[in-house]
Amino acid sequence: MEQLLICLSSALIAGLLMSRLAKAIRLPAVTAYLVAGLLLGPFFLGRLGLSGFGIGFGSLEQVDGYSILTQVALGFIAFVIGNEFRLSSLESMGRQAITVGILQAVVTTLLVDIALVALHFIRPDVISMASAITLGAIAAATAPAATLMVVKQYKADGPLTHLLLMVVAIDDAVGLVLFSASFGIANALEQGRVDLLSVLVEPLVEIVFSLGLGAIAGFCLNQLEVYFHSRSKRMSLSVAFVLLTVGLSMSTFEIGPIHCSFSLLLVCMMTGTVFCNICPTSDELMDRLDRWVSPINILFFVLSGAELDLKILASPMVLLIGIVYIAARSLGKISGSYLSCRATRCSPSIQKYLGITLLPQAGVALGMAAEAAELSDGHMVRNVVLFSVLVYELVGPTLTKLSLTAAGEIKPEGRTNARTPNKPLQSAEKV
């Protein structure tokens, strides 16, 4: 237990110190946390065998032991994203968000499918048809965590930011349907039979059950909040409900032949959406909650960096498929977002920059890749996704920052020393 606590504290301190270095070279803090995790991981400091003293992670299995923390962090991130689905925002941008969220994911899947299926016909010994189709569906997933952290760090605000957070949330549901359908087809190709339950019914049941559970949790949270008047107690109740929804979303059960499960992101997102729309003081609670969970979010990214498996870089075939995958996915996200934004008459800046901000990819994609392990070359699928996560998580946050800055939704950074308040802008203008 003492080693666990020391290891977590060293990970948190390393992430914070690395963020100071990143600030000096104008990189997002998310990138700094990932690099800190990479350095503490099994391929750098972990190789020194000092993990028993709390310095570094000795193996990937040791990092996996902290998976509950990453699940909790994702729960809080999804809960905060639910705040973007207020009725006022849905009235102005709801149609655009749904259209863009669906179309960009479908275009991305199609382009990656085309690229990898073509590679299959050129080199059938490198990638199977089933794996090509599965990777195409995994490409649709976007990482909400990195995007939200960049938005929070730089206090980004504007039409692009609001649409981005809504699309990232919708992307999870769309990606789930695309993956379930594609993975069902991939299994049919390998086994010679089509299972309609796994292809059509189970993904829809998962989405409906997840949204239903989240809605019930959000309503119950609001009903209990009225019994507490202290800000700290109301925030504590919100934390308890996020932990509750994370735990419930991990449960699975069966109804006849249908295997039922929940999407953690959808459950927590719906909880936040319902709560924020019916609780009059949700704005203040969300702001306080966001500051409270900051250490958990830092640990989430440090652990994510430690999970990156650098052994995959030694395989030329994985690198080849990974490069094709990354190129096709990037083209799909950018072109799909541009076309769908143009079709819904979004502003020129949204058309130009939204696709770039959707490039980060992490936890959801890795979860899909783990499910695809039962394919004949499922290990290759996981390694390709790991390679893409390595690239996208290190580069994606910086691209998101640059895009939001170019769109005018991130203001230039001033002095941020907490001990010395910034001077008002009005005084500078008078001078």
Side-chain angles (χ1 to χ4, degrees), residues 124-142:
D125 59 313
V126 171
I127 182 172
S128 67
M129 179 68 77
S131 293
I133 294 173
T134 303
L135 281 169
I138 293 175
T142 300

Side-chain angles (χ1 to χ4, degrees), residues 29-338:
V30 178
T31 305
Y33 304 147
L34 289 165
V35 172
L38 199 60
L39 294 176
L40 290 173
F43 304 99
F44 287 95
L45 289 178
R47 283 183 173 271
L48 301 179
L50 300 176
S51 58
F53 300 96
I55 302 175
F57 301 95
S59 66
L60 292 174
E61 289 72 23
Q62 184 183 352
V63 181
D64 288 339
Y66 299 94
S67 60
I68 186 63
L69 270 177
T70 63
Q71 298 297 309
V72 169
L74 279 175
F76 280 108
I77 288 165
F79 183 74
V80 172
I81 287 178
N83 188 40
E84 298 299 318
F85 287 88
R86 292 182 179 270
L87 291 178
S88 56
S89 299
L90 289 174
E91 290 173 359
S92 59
M93 305 184 76
R95 184 178 64 86
Q96 291 177 331
I98 293 172
T99 303
V100 173
I102 295 174
L103 288 182
Q104 58 83 23
V106 172
V107 170
T108 301
T109 296
L110 288 175
L111 287 182
V112 175
D113 276 343
I114 291 170
L116 293 180
V117 168
L119 181 61
H120 163 73
F121 283 115
I122 296 171
R123 291 289 304 273
D125 59 313
V126 171
I127 182 172
S128 67
M129 179 68 77
S131 293
I133 294 173
T134 303
L135 281 169
I138 293 175
T142 300
T147 302
L148 182 64
M149 285 290 283
V150 172
V151 169
K152 293 293 183 182
Q153 179 186 354
Y154 295 104
K155 297 179 175 61
D157 189 34
L160 173 59
T161 302
H162 293 304
L163 182 61
L164 168 63
L165 292 176
M166 294 174 75
V167 169
V168 165
I170 293 170
D171 200 63
D172 183 46
V174 179
L176 175 63
V177 173
L178 289 172
F179 174 76
S180 297
S182 297
F183 188 52
I185 295 171
N187 273 325
L189 290 173
E190 291 202 337
Q191 300 174 12
R193 62 182 179 85
V194 178
D195 185 0
L196 292 178
L197 283 179
S198 61
V199 174
L200 297 176
V201 178
E202 288 184 358
L204 293 177
V205 168
E206 181 171 339
I207 291 173
V208 171
F209 278 20
S210 298
L211 295 178
L213 176 60
I216 294 171
F219 177 78
C220 293
L221 173 58
N222 180 67
Q223 293 298 108
L224 290 176
E225 287 276 5
V226 299
Y227 294 106
F228 301 95
H229 303 289
S230 164
R231 291 192 183 106
S232 60
K233 289 181 180 179
R234 298 179 76 182
M235 187 188 71
S236 298
L237 184 63
S238 300
V239 171
F241 260 79
V242 174
L243 295 176
L244 175 64
T245 51
V246 169
L248 291 176
S249 67
M250 294 179 179
S251 61
T252 60
F253 56 95
E254 293 184 358
I255 301 178
I258 303 174
H259 178 76
C260 303
S261 59
F262 299 96
S263 166
L264 182 151
L265 290 175
L266 284 181
V267 172
C268 295
M269 181 198 72
M270 193 62 178
T271 303
T273 298
V274 172
F275 174 69
C276 289
N277 277 288
I278 61 179
C279 178
T281 60
S282 60
D283 273 335
E284 180 187 2
L285 284 170
M286 281 291 187
D287 183 59
R288 292 171 65 86
L289 183 67
D290 184 56
R291 284 178 283 176
W292 185 85
V293 301
S294 179
I296 297 176
N297 290 335
I298 294 174
L299 284 173
F300 169 78
F301 286 104
V302 173
L303 292 171
S304 297
E307 279 182 320
L308 297 176
D309 190 349
L310 298 187
K311 290 185 292 186
I312 59 174
L313 300 178
S315 172
M317 289 300 101
V318 169
L319 294 180
L320 171 64
I321 301 170
I323 290 170
V324 173
Y325 173 87
I326 289 171
R329 180 179 181 272
S330 300
L331 178 62
K333 286 292 181 184
I334 294 171
S335 62
S337 297
Y338 174 79

